[in-house]
């Protein structure tokens, strides 16, 4: 019998009425002959609320205790959903992460899954039970409760699906799929029927916040077909329709992809750029500049080093805007101390816009089309970076939406 994992986000679990709707949907799938494991999030707002309580007491609470608190939101959800299913006459059982167990490392508030035991769950499924497992949490070697980072229930669901060798992992959420770009920026954005996990990884890391990025990595590593679909539809809608709704995150060779050149336009509003002028062009400089930034736990994204003139060069990189001030302080200290470079300047009002698509592998001229489009709009490109399936540019934040709209049009993404 085919096993399907369902994941429901906070909005979908947001009230007892919504939980009853989730139960109806799950029961419908079960009636159709599927084995079902459900991985819900906490009710919407709940994780923020309980973490907020801890922060009322202390600004920077002990991460172990934070996880003890944060993990309880999901525990309420699974119990409520089990009751809702039982009220419909289904056999259902809920488990916290430690009961399965879902073992993780001990990095509280951002733990990584190490292993998932399938024995208990498989035994329940064999008895015809619907199994409900908390998202977001696990247990470390010493028996401490851990959490996987905000939005971590997505990762729990895909990891559980992989461990149980499910046929598909369905992520029910408050949007009905993955779009060519954010429909709030481009109203003509189109829902994609399929997207490859590599494209999804780029889109997720570039700011399309539909899924936690680690869940997409899991889907890729374990080749778990994962579908994003709406939980706000009629829970009793015909299964045949529901099965093909949303966006399937799949594998290039498994699908006859629409083979558009470009799949989507991703963007990230909140970037910042730092430049060190006149650094000596000699071995070890990039390391001396970026080492302290990494030590301060700041993620560096784009990097450019110029051609050197008279033995000196300029070095520019980007960081998340929230880390800008910290990065500036670290840079000032380390550059003054070790490198003896000239000025440091920064700009915290830059955004990144990217065109993404596996079709890029087999088409030439994507970059020039992108640059021509931006040039036609009079938008200056400050930095460029590329991968096999993506071209990103850094631009002034005030032109970001204009750039996204112009590129969406130029690559004809609204066309069906
Ligand atoms: N409840 C957790 C959070 O809000 C995990 C999740 O919803 O995915 O971050
Ligand atoms: Mg979420």
């Amino acid at each position: 019998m085919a096993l399907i994992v369902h994941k429901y986000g906070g909005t979908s679990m947001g009230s007892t009425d919504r939980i009853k709707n989730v139960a109806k949907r799950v029961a419908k799938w079960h009636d159709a002959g599927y084995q079902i494991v459900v991985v819900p999030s906490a009710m919407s707002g709940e994780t923020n609320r309980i973490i907020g309580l801890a922060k009322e007491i202390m600004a920077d609470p002990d991460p172990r205790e934070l996880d003890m608190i944060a993990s309880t939101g999901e525990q309420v959800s699974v119990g409520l959903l089990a009751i809702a299913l039982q009220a419909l006459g289904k056999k259902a059982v809920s488990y916290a992460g430690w009961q399965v167990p879902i073992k993780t490392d001990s990095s509280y508030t951002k733990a990584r899954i190490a292993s998932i035991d399938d024995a208990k769950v498989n035994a329940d499924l064999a008895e015809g039970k619907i199994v409900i497992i908390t998202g977001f949490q696990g247990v470390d070697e010493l028996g401490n409760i851990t959490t996987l980072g905000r939005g971590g229930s997505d990762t729990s669901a895909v990891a559980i699906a992989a461990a149980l060798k499910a046929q598909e992992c369905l992520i029910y959420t408050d949007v009905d799929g993955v779009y060519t770009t954010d429909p709030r920026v481009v109203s003509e954005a189109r829902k994609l029927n399929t997207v490859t996990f590599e494209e999804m990884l780029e889109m997720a890391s570039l700011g399309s916040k539909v899924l936690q990025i680690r869940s997409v990595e899991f889907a890729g590593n374990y080749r778990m077909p994962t579908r994003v679909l709406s939980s706000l539809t009629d829970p009793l809608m015909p299964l045949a329709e529901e099965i093909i709704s949303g966006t399937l995150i799949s594998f290039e060779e498994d699908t006859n992809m629409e083979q558009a050149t470009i799949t989507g336009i991703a963007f990230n509003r909140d970037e910042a750029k730092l430049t060190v002028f006149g650094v000596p062009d000699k071995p070890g400089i990039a390391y001396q500049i970026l080492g302290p930034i990494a030590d301060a736990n700041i993620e560096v994204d784009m990097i450019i080093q110029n051609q050197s003139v008279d033995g000196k060069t300029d070095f520019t990189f980007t960081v998340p805007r929230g880390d800008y001030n910290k990065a500036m302080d670290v840079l000032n200290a380390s550059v003054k101390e070790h490198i003896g470079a000239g000025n440091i300047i920064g700009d915290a009002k830059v955004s990144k816009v990217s065109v993404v698509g596996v079709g890029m592998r087999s088409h030439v001229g994507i970059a020039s089309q992108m640059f021509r489009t931006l040039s036609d709009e009079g938008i200056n490109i400050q930095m460029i970076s590329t991968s096999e399936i993506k071209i990103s540019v850094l631009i002034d934040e005030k032109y970001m939406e204009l750039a996204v709209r112009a590129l969406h049009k130029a690559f004809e993404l609204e066309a069906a």
Side-chain angles (χ1 to χ4, degrees):
M1 212 184 309
L3 167 69
I4 304 275
V5 172
H6 285 198
K7 185 262 170 179
Y8 291 91
T11 314
S12 322
M13 297 294 292
S15 65
T16 46
D17 280 334
R18 292 218 169 139
I19 292 173
K20 285 190 217 165
N21 274 337
V22 167
K24 282 185 202 156
R25 193 182 296 276
V26 170
K28 174 185 75 181
W29 279 79
H30 195 254
D31 289 340
Y34 291 97
Q35 293 186 323
I36 304 288
V37 172
V38 190
V39 182
S41 288
M43 297 171 80
S44 59
E46 188 58 13
T47 310
N48 285 340
R49 187 185 74 80
I50 52 190
I51 291 177
L53 293 176
K55 296 199 169 167
E56 276 173 25
I57 298 175
M58 189 180 177
D60 200 7
D62 177 1
R64 179 192 181 278
E65 305 310 327
L66 265 184
D67 277 358
M68 182 62 101
I69 298 161
S71 62
T72 60
E74 272 69 11
Q75 210 167 309
V76 173
S77 290
V78 292
L80 288 173
L81 183 55
I83 292 169
L85 280 160
Q86 288 164 5
L88 296 177
K90 288 290 181 190
K91 289 194 274 179
V93 57
S94 68
Y95 292 118
W98 63 268
Q99 292 175 301
V100 173
I102 297 174
K103 292 202 178 133
T104 71
D105 64 17
S106 301
S107 320
Y108 301 113
T109 75
K110 46 178 187 297
R112 288 187 165 268
I113 294 174
S115 67
I116 298 177
D117 191 333
D118 61 4
K120 197 185 300 197
V121 179
N122 278 333
D124 288 328
L125 290 171
E127 286 172 29
K129 290 182 188 156
I130 295 166
V131 181
I132 308 157
I133 304 173
T134 49
F136 182 49
Q137 58 169 265
V139 61
D140 74 2
E141 273 201 327
L142 299 170
N144 298 299
I145 291 176
T146 56
T147 70
L148 309 182
R150 299 306 306 270
S153 298
D154 294 335
T155 300
S156 305
V158 178
I160 287 168
L164 297 171
K165 302 188 173 57
Q167 177 178 303
E168 213 176 275
C169 180
L170 305 183
I171 311 267
Y172 288 90
T173 177
D174 50 2
V175 296
D176 63 352
V178 179
Y179 279 72
T180 49
T181 195
D182 187 339
R184 284 168 301 189
V185 173
V186 182
S187 54
E188 297 83 19
R190 177 173 50 94
K191 197 183 79 188
L192 296 161
N193 293 325
T194 56
V195 63
T196 69
F197 89 90
E198 294 160 290
E199 290 169 329
M200 194 59 208
L201 212 49
E202 294 285 8
M203 312 261 257
S205 67
L206 295 169
S208 310
K209 303 232 155 47
V210 183
L211 288 178
Q212 199 201 34
I213 186 157
R214 262 164 58 202
S215 70
V216 184
E217 288 167 4
F218 256 100
N221 290 343
Y222 293 93
R223 302 189 63 81
M224 176 50 56
T226 300
R227 186 181 294 273
V228 175
L229 67 174
S230 174
S231 69
L232 304 175
T233 52
D234 174 6
L236 299 179
M237 78 188 270
L239 202 67
E241 257 173 63
E242 190 170 320
I243 280 174
I244 54 164
S245 69
T247 302
L248 178 66
I249 302 166
S250 185
F251 304 92
E252 215 174 329
E253 58 279 16
D254 293 352
T255 44
N256 37 22
M257 297 296 294
E258 295 141 58
Q259 275 315 327
T261 45
I262 293 303
T263 304
I265 313 288
F267 57 83
N268 192 354
R269 237 177 260 276
D270 302 322
E271 302 260 326
K273 171 176 91 162
L274 298 99
T275 301
V276 199
F277 288 105
V279 294
D281 187 10
K282 62 176 195 210
I285 284 296
Y287 174 62
Q288 279 174 37
I289 293 174
L290 296 181
I293 298 283
D295 293 343
N297 237 322
I298 300 171
E299 216 174 294
V300 172
D301 180 16
M302 298 165 116
I303 303 172
I304 291 184
Q305 184 185 311
N306 259 347
Q307 186 70 19
S308 65
V309 178
D310 299 331
K312 302 251 176 197
T313 183
D314 305 331
F315 193 94
T316 303
F317 60 95
T318 62
V319 298
R321 193 173 295 168
D323 287 331
Y324 175 66
N325 289 332
K326 190 158 99 178
M328 199 46 124
D329 291 347
V330 170
L331 204 55
N332 269 312
S334 65
V335 165
K336 289 232 166 67
E337 203 176 314
H338 306 295
I339 304 172
N343 271 338
I344 302 169
I345 61 157
D347 183 352
K349 292 203 159 117
V350 287
S351 299
K352 184 165 71 166
V353 175
S354 311
V355 299
V356 177
V358 290
M360 231 180 261
R361 292 199 182 112
S362 49
H363 287 83
V364 294
I366 308 287
S368 68
Q369 188 176 354
M370 180 183 195
F371 301 155
R372 170 159 27 90
T373 306
L374 296 173
S375 142
D376 288 347
E377 298 294 339
I379 299 170
N380 184 43
I381 301 171
Q382 302 181 11
M383 293 174 83
I384 301 169
S385 74
T386 63
S387 80
E388 221 191 336
I389 63 162
K390 167 202 82 174
I391 305 166
S392 302
V393 296
L394 194 74
I395 60 176
D396 188 323
E397 74 165 2
K398 48 175 198 275
Y399 301 120
M400 195 208 75
E401 300 206 350
L402 174 64
V404 173
R405 279 195 287 269
L407 290 167
H408 198 270
K409 197 166 183 98
F411 287 102
E412 299 178 349
L413 290 176
E414 71 285 308

